[in-house]
Short mmCIF file of all heavy atoms in Angstrom, two decimals:
data_model
loop_
_atom_site.label_atom_id
_atom_site.label_comp_id
_atom_site.label_asym_id
_atom_site.label_seq_id
_atom_site.Cartn_x
_atom_site.Cartn_y
_atom_site.Cartn_z
N MET A 1 -3.26 18.01 65.68
CA MET A 1 -4.29 17.50 64.76
C MET A 1 -5.26 18.63 64.40
O MET A 1 -5.66 19.40 65.25
CB MET A 1 -5.06 16.35 65.43
CG MET A 1 -5.92 15.60 64.44
SD MET A 1 -5.82 13.83 64.68
CE MET A 1 -7.47 13.49 65.27
N SER A 2 -5.58 18.72 63.09
CA SER A 2 -6.51 19.77 62.69
C SER A 2 -7.47 19.23 61.64
O SER A 2 -7.14 18.31 60.88
CB SER A 2 -5.75 20.97 62.13
OG SER A 2 -4.99 20.60 61.01
N THR A 3 -8.67 19.81 61.60
CA THR A 3 -9.70 19.40 60.66
C THR A 3 -10.08 20.59 59.80
O THR A 3 -10.21 21.70 60.28
CB THR A 3 -10.95 18.89 61.40
OG1 THR A 3 -10.58 17.81 62.24
CG2 THR A 3 -12.01 18.41 60.41
N TYR A 4 -10.21 20.35 58.48
CA TYR A 4 -10.66 21.41 57.59
C TYR A 4 -11.57 20.82 56.54
O TYR A 4 -11.67 19.61 56.40
CB TYR A 4 -9.48 22.15 56.96
CG TYR A 4 -8.56 21.28 56.13
CD1 TYR A 4 -8.71 21.23 54.74
CD2 TYR A 4 -7.54 20.54 56.71
CE1 TYR A 4 -7.87 20.46 53.97
CE2 TYR A 4 -6.70 19.77 55.94
CZ TYR A 4 -6.87 19.73 54.56
OH TYR A 4 -6.05 18.96 53.78
N GLU A 5 -12.24 21.72 55.79
CA GLU A 5 -13.22 21.28 54.81
C GLU A 5 -12.75 21.68 53.42
O GLU A 5 -12.41 22.83 53.18
CB GLU A 5 -14.58 21.93 55.11
CG GLU A 5 -15.73 21.26 54.40
CD GLU A 5 -17.07 21.84 54.85
OE1 GLU A 5 -17.55 21.45 55.93
OE2 GLU A 5 -17.61 22.71 54.15
N CYS A 6 -12.72 20.72 52.50
CA CYS A 6 -12.30 20.99 51.14
C CYS A 6 -13.32 21.91 50.45
O CYS A 6 -14.50 21.60 50.42
CB CYS A 6 -12.17 19.68 50.37
SG CYS A 6 -11.83 19.91 48.62
N PRO A 7 -12.90 23.06 49.90
CA PRO A 7 -13.82 24.00 49.26
C PRO A 7 -14.46 23.43 48.00
O PRO A 7 -15.51 23.90 47.58
CB PRO A 7 -12.94 25.20 48.92
CG PRO A 7 -11.66 25.01 49.66
CD PRO A 7 -11.52 23.54 49.90
N THR A 8 -13.83 22.46 47.37
CA THR A 8 -14.34 21.91 46.11
C THR A 8 -15.39 20.84 46.34
O THR A 8 -16.46 20.89 45.75
CB THR A 8 -13.18 21.33 45.28
OG1 THR A 8 -12.24 22.36 45.01
CG2 THR A 8 -13.70 20.76 43.97
N CYS A 9 -15.12 19.87 47.20
CA CYS A 9 -16.05 18.76 47.40
C CYS A 9 -16.66 18.74 48.79
O CYS A 9 -17.47 17.87 49.08
CB CYS A 9 -15.36 17.43 47.10
SG CYS A 9 -14.07 17.01 48.28
N ASN A 10 -16.31 19.73 49.64
CA ASN A 10 -16.89 19.86 50.98
C ASN A 10 -16.61 18.65 51.87
O ASN A 10 -17.35 18.40 52.80
CB ASN A 10 -18.40 20.12 50.90
CG ASN A 10 -18.71 21.44 50.21
OD1 ASN A 10 -17.98 22.41 50.37
ND2 ASN A 10 -19.76 21.47 49.42
N LYS A 11 -15.56 17.90 51.55
CA LYS A 11 -15.22 16.76 52.37
C LYS A 11 -14.43 17.21 53.59
O LYS A 11 -13.59 18.10 53.49
CB LYS A 11 -14.37 15.77 51.54
CG LYS A 11 -14.26 14.40 52.16
CD LYS A 11 -13.71 13.41 51.14
CE LYS A 11 -12.20 13.30 51.25
NZ LYS A 11 -11.65 12.29 50.31
N GLN A 12 -14.73 16.59 54.73
CA GLN A 12 -13.99 16.91 55.95
C GLN A 12 -12.68 16.14 55.95
O GLN A 12 -12.67 14.94 55.73
CB GLN A 12 -14.82 16.51 57.18
CG GLN A 12 -16.06 17.38 57.40
CD GLN A 12 -15.75 18.65 58.19
OE1 GLN A 12 -14.80 18.69 58.96
NE2 GLN A 12 -16.55 19.67 57.99
N ILE A 13 -11.59 16.85 56.16
CA ILE A 13 -10.28 16.21 56.18
C ILE A 13 -9.65 16.45 57.55
O ILE A 13 -9.62 17.58 58.03
CB ILE A 13 -9.36 16.77 55.07
CG1 ILE A 13 -10.03 16.64 53.70
CG2 ILE A 13 -8.03 16.03 55.06
CD1 ILE A 13 -10.50 17.97 53.16
N THR A 14 -9.13 15.39 58.11
CA THR A 14 -8.44 15.50 59.39
C THR A 14 -6.99 15.06 59.20
O THR A 14 -6.73 13.99 58.66
CB THR A 14 -9.10 14.62 60.46
OG1 THR A 14 -10.48 15.01 60.59
CG2 THR A 14 -8.42 14.78 61.81
N VAL A 15 -6.08 15.93 59.58
CA VAL A 15 -4.66 15.60 59.42
C VAL A 15 -3.95 15.74 60.76
O VAL A 15 -4.33 16.55 61.61
CB VAL A 15 -3.98 16.51 58.38
CG1 VAL A 15 -4.53 16.22 56.99
CG2 VAL A 15 -4.15 17.98 58.73
N GLY A 16 -2.91 14.95 60.93
CA GLY A 16 -2.13 15.01 62.16
C GLY A 16 -1.25 16.24 62.21
O GLY A 16 -1.16 16.93 63.22
N ARG A 17 -0.60 16.52 61.07
CA ARG A 17 0.30 17.67 60.99
C ARG A 17 0.02 18.42 59.70
O ARG A 17 -0.49 17.86 58.74
CB ARG A 17 1.76 17.22 61.00
CG ARG A 17 2.19 16.48 62.25
CD ARG A 17 3.56 15.84 62.03
NE ARG A 17 3.49 14.90 60.91
CZ ARG A 17 4.56 14.42 60.28
NH1 ARG A 17 5.77 14.81 60.62
NH2 ARG A 17 4.43 13.57 59.29
N ASP A 18 0.37 19.69 59.63
CA ASP A 18 0.17 20.48 58.42
C ASP A 18 0.95 19.89 57.24
O ASP A 18 0.52 19.96 56.10
CB ASP A 18 0.62 21.92 58.64
CG ASP A 18 -0.38 22.70 59.50
OD1 ASP A 18 -1.50 22.17 59.70
OD2 ASP A 18 -0.06 23.80 59.94
N GLU A 19 2.08 19.28 57.52
CA GLU A 19 2.89 18.67 56.46
C GLU A 19 2.16 17.51 55.78
O GLU A 19 2.51 17.11 54.67
CB GLU A 19 4.22 18.15 57.03
CG GLU A 19 5.05 19.23 57.67
CD GLU A 19 4.79 19.32 59.16
OE1 GLU A 19 3.84 20.05 59.53
OE2 GLU A 19 5.50 18.69 59.94
N ASP A 20 1.16 16.96 56.47
CA ASP A 20 0.40 15.85 55.90
C ASP A 20 -0.68 16.32 54.93
O ASP A 20 -1.36 15.51 54.32
CB ASP A 20 -0.25 15.03 57.01
CG ASP A 20 0.80 14.34 57.88
OD1 ASP A 20 1.90 14.08 57.36
OD2 ASP A 20 0.51 14.06 59.05
N ALA A 21 -0.85 17.65 54.81
CA ALA A 21 -1.90 18.19 53.94
C ALA A 21 -1.28 19.13 52.91
O ALA A 21 -1.45 20.33 52.99
CB ALA A 21 -2.95 18.92 54.78
N PRO A 22 -0.55 18.59 51.93
CA PRO A 22 0.15 19.43 50.95
C PRO A 22 -0.81 20.23 50.06
O PRO A 22 -0.41 21.24 49.49
CB PRO A 22 0.96 18.44 50.12
CG PRO A 22 0.25 17.14 50.28
CD PRO A 22 -0.34 17.16 51.66
N TYR A 23 -2.06 19.77 49.93
CA TYR A 23 -2.99 20.47 49.05
C TYR A 23 -4.01 21.29 49.83
O TYR A 23 -5.01 21.73 49.30
CB TYR A 23 -3.71 19.45 48.15
CG TYR A 23 -2.74 18.64 47.32
CD1 TYR A 23 -2.59 17.26 47.54
CD2 TYR A 23 -1.95 19.25 46.36
CE1 TYR A 23 -1.69 16.53 46.80
CE2 TYR A 23 -1.04 18.51 45.62
CZ TYR A 23 -0.91 17.15 45.84
OH TYR A 23 -0.01 16.42 45.12
N ARG A 24 -3.77 21.48 51.12
CA ARG A 24 -4.64 22.29 51.94
C ARG A 24 -4.86 23.64 51.30
O ARG A 24 -3.91 24.22 50.79
CB ARG A 24 -3.98 22.45 53.31
CG ARG A 24 -4.91 23.02 54.36
CD ARG A 24 -4.22 23.01 55.69
NE ARG A 24 -5.12 23.56 56.69
CZ ARG A 24 -4.93 23.48 58.00
NH1 ARG A 24 -3.88 22.88 58.47
NH2 ARG A 24 -5.78 24.00 58.83
N PRO A 25 -6.07 24.23 51.27
CA PRO A 25 -7.27 23.71 51.94
C PRO A 25 -8.03 22.64 51.16
O PRO A 25 -9.15 22.31 51.53
CB PRO A 25 -8.12 24.97 52.10
CG PRO A 25 -7.82 25.76 50.87
CD PRO A 25 -6.35 25.48 50.58
N PHE A 26 -7.45 22.13 50.09
CA PHE A 26 -8.14 21.10 49.31
C PHE A 26 -7.75 19.72 49.82
O PHE A 26 -6.68 19.54 50.39
CB PHE A 26 -7.80 21.24 47.83
CG PHE A 26 -8.09 22.63 47.32
CD1 PHE A 26 -7.08 23.57 47.21
CD2 PHE A 26 -9.38 23.00 46.98
CE1 PHE A 26 -7.33 24.85 46.77
CE2 PHE A 26 -9.64 24.29 46.55
CZ PHE A 26 -8.62 25.21 46.44
N CYS A 27 -8.60 18.73 49.52
CA CYS A 27 -8.35 17.38 50.02
C CYS A 27 -7.36 16.65 49.14
O CYS A 27 -6.73 15.69 49.56
CB CYS A 27 -9.67 16.60 50.13
SG CYS A 27 -10.41 16.20 48.53
N SER A 28 -7.23 17.08 47.89
CA SER A 28 -6.38 16.35 46.96
C SER A 28 -5.93 17.27 45.84
O SER A 28 -6.43 18.40 45.68
CB SER A 28 -7.17 15.18 46.35
OG SER A 28 -8.27 15.68 45.62
N ARG A 29 -4.99 16.78 45.04
CA ARG A 29 -4.51 17.56 43.90
C ARG A 29 -5.65 17.80 42.91
O ARG A 29 -5.75 18.87 42.32
CB ARG A 29 -3.37 16.78 43.21
CG ARG A 29 -2.72 17.54 42.10
CD ARG A 29 -1.51 16.77 41.56
NE ARG A 29 -0.83 17.55 40.54
CZ ARG A 29 -1.21 17.57 39.26
NH1 ARG A 29 -2.23 16.85 38.86
NH2 ARG A 29 -0.56 18.31 38.39
N ARG A 30 -6.51 16.82 42.74
CA ARG A 30 -7.62 16.94 41.80
C ARG A 30 -8.53 18.11 42.19
O ARG A 30 -8.89 18.94 41.34
CB ARG A 30 -8.42 15.64 41.80
CG ARG A 30 -9.50 15.59 40.75
CD ARG A 30 -10.39 14.36 40.91
NE ARG A 30 -11.76 14.67 40.58
CZ ARG A 30 -12.62 15.23 41.41
NH1 ARG A 30 -12.28 15.50 42.64
NH2 ARG A 30 -13.84 15.52 41.02
N CYS A 31 -8.90 18.19 43.47
CA CYS A 31 -9.78 19.26 43.91
C CYS A 31 -9.10 20.62 43.77
O CYS A 31 -9.74 21.62 43.47
CB CYS A 31 -10.21 19.03 45.36
SG CYS A 31 -11.56 17.83 45.49
N LYS A 32 -7.80 20.66 43.96
CA LYS A 32 -7.07 21.91 43.80
C LYS A 32 -7.13 22.36 42.34
O LYS A 32 -7.34 23.54 42.04
CB LYS A 32 -5.61 21.71 44.24
CG LYS A 32 -4.83 23.00 44.28
CD LYS A 32 -3.40 22.73 44.73
CE LYS A 32 -2.61 24.03 44.80
NZ LYS A 32 -1.24 23.83 45.26
N MET A 33 -6.95 21.42 41.40
CA MET A 33 -6.97 21.75 39.98
C MET A 33 -8.36 22.17 39.53
O MET A 33 -8.51 23.04 38.68
CB MET A 33 -6.49 20.55 39.15
CG MET A 33 -5.03 20.18 39.40
SD MET A 33 -3.86 21.56 39.33
CE MET A 33 -3.84 21.87 37.57
N VAL A 34 -9.39 21.54 40.10
CA VAL A 34 -10.77 21.92 39.75
C VAL A 34 -11.02 23.37 40.13
O VAL A 34 -11.56 24.16 39.35
CB VAL A 34 -11.78 20.99 40.48
CG1 VAL A 34 -13.19 21.56 40.39
CG2 VAL A 34 -11.75 19.59 39.87
N ASP A 35 -10.58 23.75 41.33
CA ASP A 35 -10.77 25.12 41.78
C ASP A 35 -9.97 26.09 40.93
O ASP A 35 -10.45 27.16 40.54
CB ASP A 35 -10.35 25.23 43.25
CG ASP A 35 -10.71 26.58 43.82
OD1 ASP A 35 -11.90 26.78 44.12
OD2 ASP A 35 -9.83 27.44 43.94
N LEU A 36 -8.75 25.71 40.59
CA LEU A 36 -7.89 26.56 39.75
C LEU A 36 -8.52 26.75 38.37
O LEU A 36 -8.51 27.84 37.81
CB LEU A 36 -6.51 25.91 39.63
CG LEU A 36 -5.44 26.72 38.89
CD1 LEU A 36 -5.06 27.96 39.68
CD2 LEU A 36 -4.19 25.88 38.66
N GLY A 37 -9.09 25.67 37.83
CA GLY A 37 -9.75 25.75 36.52
C GLY A 37 -10.92 26.72 36.53
O GLY A 37 -11.08 27.50 35.60
N ARG A 38 -11.71 26.68 37.58
CA ARG A 38 -12.84 27.62 37.69
C ARG A 38 -12.33 29.04 37.69
O ARG A 38 -12.86 29.91 37.04
CB ARG A 38 -13.59 27.37 39.02
CG ARG A 38 -14.50 26.17 38.98
CD ARG A 38 -15.23 26.10 40.31
NE ARG A 38 -15.86 24.81 40.50
CZ ARG A 38 -16.01 24.23 41.68
NH1 ARG A 38 -15.57 24.83 42.77
NH2 ARG A 38 -16.61 23.08 41.78
N TRP A 39 -11.27 29.27 38.45
CA TRP A 39 -10.71 30.61 38.59
C TRP A 39 -10.18 31.11 37.24
O TRP A 39 -10.43 32.23 36.84
CB TRP A 39 -9.60 30.55 39.64
CG TRP A 39 -9.10 31.91 40.04
CD1 TRP A 39 -9.64 32.73 40.99
CD2 TRP A 39 -7.96 32.59 39.51
NE1 TRP A 39 -8.89 33.88 41.06
CE2 TRP A 39 -7.87 33.83 40.17
CE3 TRP A 39 -7.02 32.27 38.52
CZ2 TRP A 39 -6.86 34.74 39.88
CZ3 TRP A 39 -6.02 33.20 38.23
CH2 TRP A 39 -5.95 34.41 38.92
N LEU A 40 -9.48 30.24 36.53
CA LEU A 40 -8.91 30.63 35.24
C LEU A 40 -9.99 30.91 34.22
O LEU A 40 -9.90 31.84 33.43
CB LEU A 40 -7.98 29.53 34.74
CG LEU A 40 -6.64 29.40 35.48
CD1 LEU A 40 -5.87 28.19 34.97
CD2 LEU A 40 -5.78 30.65 35.31
N ASN A 41 -11.05 30.10 34.22
CA ASN A 41 -12.15 30.31 33.27
C ASN A 41 -12.81 31.67 33.50
O ASN A 41 -13.10 32.38 32.55
CB ASN A 41 -13.19 29.20 33.44
CG ASN A 41 -12.72 27.89 32.85
OD1 ASN A 41 -11.82 27.88 32.01
ND2 ASN A 41 -13.30 26.79 33.28
N GLY A 42 -13.01 32.03 34.76
CA GLY A 42 -13.62 33.33 35.07
C GLY A 42 -12.73 34.46 34.63
O GLY A 42 -13.20 35.45 34.06
N THR A 43 -11.42 34.32 34.83
CA THR A 43 -10.48 35.37 34.44
C THR A 43 -10.45 35.52 32.92
O THR A 43 -10.41 36.61 32.38
CB THR A 43 -9.07 35.02 34.94
OG1 THR A 43 -9.13 34.84 36.35
CG2 THR A 43 -8.09 36.13 34.62
N TYR A 44 -10.50 34.39 32.24
CA TYR A 44 -10.45 34.43 30.77
C TYR A 44 -11.63 35.20 30.21
O TYR A 44 -11.50 36.01 29.32
CB TYR A 44 -10.45 32.99 30.24
CG TYR A 44 -10.33 32.93 28.74
CD1 TYR A 44 -9.11 33.13 28.11
CD2 TYR A 44 -11.46 32.68 27.94
CE1 TYR A 44 -9.00 33.08 26.73
CE2 TYR A 44 -11.36 32.63 26.58
CZ TYR A 44 -10.13 32.83 25.97
OH TYR A 44 -10.04 32.79 24.60
N ARG A 45 -12.81 34.96 30.75
CA ARG A 45 -14.02 35.62 30.25
C ARG A 45 -13.93 37.13 30.46
O ARG A 45 -14.33 37.91 29.61
CB ARG A 45 -15.25 35.08 30.97
CG ARG A 45 -16.00 34.11 30.10
CD ARG A 45 -17.25 33.59 30.79
NE ARG A 45 -17.12 32.21 31.17
CZ ARG A 45 -17.19 31.74 32.41
NH1 ARG A 45 -17.40 32.56 33.41
NH2 ARG A 45 -17.05 30.48 32.64
N ILE A 46 -13.37 37.55 31.61
CA ILE A 46 -13.30 38.97 31.92
C ILE A 46 -12.25 39.66 31.06
O ILE A 46 -12.44 40.78 30.60
CB ILE A 46 -12.96 39.15 33.42
CG1 ILE A 46 -14.15 38.67 34.27
CG2 ILE A 46 -12.66 40.61 33.73
CD1 ILE A 46 -13.79 38.44 35.72
N SER A 47 -11.12 38.98 30.80
CA SER A 47 -10.01 39.62 30.10
C SER A 47 -10.14 39.56 28.58
O SER A 47 -9.38 40.17 27.87
CB SER A 47 -8.69 38.97 30.52
OG SER A 47 -8.65 37.63 30.12
N GLU A 48 -11.13 38.80 28.07
CA GLU A 48 -11.26 38.68 26.62
C GLU A 48 -12.68 39.08 26.18
O GLU A 48 -13.43 38.27 25.66
CB GLU A 48 -10.98 37.24 26.18
CG GLU A 48 -9.55 36.80 26.41
CD GLU A 48 -8.57 37.46 25.44
OE1 GLU A 48 -9.01 37.90 24.35
OE2 GLU A 48 -7.38 37.53 25.77
N PRO A 49 -13.08 40.33 26.38
CA PRO A 49 -14.41 40.75 25.95
C PRO A 49 -14.47 40.91 24.43
O PRO A 49 -13.43 41.10 23.78
CB PRO A 49 -14.61 42.10 26.64
CG PRO A 49 -13.22 42.64 26.79
CD PRO A 49 -12.31 41.43 26.95
N ILE A 50 -15.67 40.85 23.86
CA ILE A 50 -15.80 41.09 22.42
C ILE A 50 -15.63 42.58 22.16
O ILE A 50 -16.31 43.41 22.75
CB ILE A 50 -17.19 40.62 21.93
CG1 ILE A 50 -17.31 39.11 22.14
CG2 ILE A 50 -17.38 40.98 20.47
CD1 ILE A 50 -18.74 38.60 21.92
N LYS A 51 -14.71 42.93 21.29
CA LYS A 51 -14.43 44.34 21.01
C LYS A 51 -15.36 44.85 19.92
O LYS A 51 -15.60 44.16 18.92
CB LYS A 51 -12.98 44.50 20.54
CG LYS A 51 -11.95 44.04 21.55
CD LYS A 51 -10.55 44.41 21.08
CE LYS A 51 -9.47 43.65 21.84
NZ LYS A 51 -9.17 42.33 21.25
N PRO A 52 -15.88 46.07 20.08
CA PRO A 52 -16.76 46.66 19.04
C PRO A 52 -16.06 46.71 17.69
O PRO A 52 -16.68 46.54 16.65
CB PRO A 52 -17.04 48.07 19.56
CG PRO A 52 -16.79 47.99 21.04
CD PRO A 52 -15.73 46.95 21.22
N GLN A 53 -14.74 46.95 17.67
CA GLN A 53 -13.99 47.02 16.41
C GLN A 53 -14.07 45.70 15.65
O GLN A 53 -14.15 45.69 14.42
CB GLN A 53 -12.51 47.35 16.67
CG GLN A 53 -12.28 48.63 17.46
CD GLN A 53 -12.10 48.32 18.93
OE1 GLN A 53 -13.09 48.07 19.62
NE2 GLN A 53 -10.88 48.36 19.41
N ASP A 54 -14.06 44.59 16.39
CA ASP A 54 -14.10 43.28 15.75
C ASP A 54 -15.43 43.07 15.03
O ASP A 54 -15.50 42.53 13.94
CB ASP A 54 -13.92 42.17 16.79
CG ASP A 54 -12.49 42.15 17.36
OD1 ASP A 54 -11.60 42.74 16.72
OD2 ASP A 54 -12.29 41.56 18.41
N LEU A 55 -16.53 43.55 15.63
CA LEU A 55 -17.84 43.41 15.02
C LEU A 55 -17.94 44.28 13.77
O LEU A 55 -18.47 43.87 12.74
CB LEU A 55 -18.93 43.84 16.02
CG LEU A 55 -19.03 42.94 17.27
CD1 LEU A 55 -20.05 43.55 18.24
CD2 LEU A 55 -19.46 41.53 16.90
N GLU A 56 -17.39 45.50 13.82
CA GLU A 56 -17.43 46.39 12.66
C GLU A 56 -16.67 45.80 11.49
O GLU A 56 -17.09 45.92 10.33
CB GLU A 56 -16.81 47.75 13.04
CG GLU A 56 -17.75 48.58 13.91
CD GLU A 56 -17.04 49.78 14.50
OE1 GLU A 56 -15.97 50.15 13.98
OE2 GLU A 56 -17.56 50.34 15.48
N ARG A 57 -15.54 45.14 11.79
CA ARG A 57 -14.74 44.55 10.74
C ARG A 57 -15.53 43.45 10.02
O ARG A 57 -15.50 43.33 8.81
CB ARG A 57 -13.45 43.96 11.34
CG ARG A 57 -12.30 43.88 10.34
CD ARG A 57 -11.07 43.26 11.00
NE ARG A 57 -10.64 43.98 12.19
CZ ARG A 57 -10.10 43.41 13.28
NH1 ARG A 57 -9.98 42.13 13.34
NH2 ARG A 57 -9.72 44.15 14.29
N ASP A 58 -16.29 42.66 10.78
CA ASP A 58 -17.09 41.59 10.18
C ASP A 58 -18.15 42.17 9.24
O ASP A 58 -18.42 41.66 8.17
CB ASP A 58 -17.76 40.76 11.26
CG ASP A 58 -16.75 39.84 11.98
OD1 ASP A 58 -15.65 39.65 11.43
OD2 ASP A 58 -17.07 39.32 13.05
N GLU A 59 -18.79 43.28 9.66
CA GLU A 59 -19.82 43.89 8.84
C GLU A 59 -19.25 44.41 7.52
O GLU A 59 -19.85 44.31 6.47
CB GLU A 59 -20.47 45.04 9.62
CG GLU A 59 -21.45 44.53 10.68
CD GLU A 59 -21.85 45.63 11.64
OE1 GLU A 59 -21.64 46.80 11.31
OE2 GLU A 59 -22.38 45.30 12.71
N ALA A 60 -18.03 45.00 7.59
CA ALA A 60 -17.39 45.54 6.39
C ALA A 60 -17.13 44.43 5.40
O ALA A 60 -17.26 44.63 4.19
CB ALA A 60 -16.07 46.23 6.77
N GLN A 61 -16.77 43.24 5.89
CA GLN A 61 -16.49 42.13 4.98
C GLN A 61 -17.76 41.67 4.26
O GLN A 61 -17.74 41.26 3.13
CB GLN A 61 -15.89 40.94 5.77
CG GLN A 61 -14.40 41.15 6.09
CD GLN A 61 -13.85 40.08 7.02
OE1 GLN A 61 -14.59 39.24 7.49
NE2 GLN A 61 -12.57 40.13 7.27
N ASP A 62 -18.91 41.79 4.93
CA ASP A 62 -20.16 41.35 4.32
C ASP A 62 -20.55 42.21 3.11
O ASP A 62 -21.22 41.78 2.20
CB ASP A 62 -21.30 41.43 5.36
CG ASP A 62 -21.14 40.31 6.40
OD1 ASP A 62 -20.39 39.35 6.09
OD2 ASP A 62 -21.74 40.40 7.46
N GLU A 63 -20.10 43.49 3.08
CA GLU A 63 -20.47 44.41 2.00
C GLU A 63 -19.82 44.03 0.67
O GLU A 63 -20.36 44.29 -0.39
CB GLU A 63 -20.06 45.84 2.38
CG GLU A 63 -20.97 46.45 3.43
CD GLU A 63 -20.42 47.77 3.92
OE1 GLU A 63 -19.54 48.33 3.26
OE2 GLU A 63 -20.87 48.24 4.97
N SER A 64 -18.65 43.42 0.71
CA SER A 64 -17.93 43.16 -0.54
C SER A 64 -18.55 42.04 -1.34
O SER A 64 -19.26 41.24 -0.87
CB SER A 64 -16.46 42.86 -0.24
OG SER A 64 -16.36 41.72 0.59
ZN1 ZN B 1 -11.95 17.76 47.77
#
């Protein structure tokens, strides 16, 4: 028997066997997806910065 804490909702979960906790360290599939969503959002922001070239292109269009 082991007890762990879900990182998403901080709920204490106690399971008899590791096989009984398929979403460990999360308490449920929902909490796992919430954490994954946070991670993906952070990665998206870092990998898609605004490029200076894109801003210059917008300014050029305003001149016409
Ligand atoms: Zn949870």
Side-chain angles (χ1 to χ4, degrees):
M1 192 137 111
S2 60
T3 302
Y4 60 97
E5 196 173 280
C6 174
T8 301
C9 68
N10 297 323
K11 195 166 93 177
Q12 291 274 335
I13 305 107
T14 302
V15 293
R17 298 169 301 164
D18 285 348
E19 300 94 272
D20 294 333
Y23 302 114
R24 192 174 180 168
F26 305 98
C27 69
S28 62
R29 185 174 184 277
R30 187 187 144 277
C31 280
K32 188 180 181 179
M33 295 311 288
V34 167
D35 188 77
L36 185 67
R38 282 184 195 148
W39 190 85
L40 287 175
N41 285 340
T43 304
Y44 183 77
R45 257 181 250 120
I46 292 164
S47 64
E48 294 288 337
I50 296 169
K51 300 188 196 86
Q53 304 96 282
D54 291 342
L55 295 175
E56 285 169 18
R57 205 181 303 146
D58 286 345
E59 283 168 16
Q61 282 172 355
D62 287 342
E63 286 172 16
S64 60

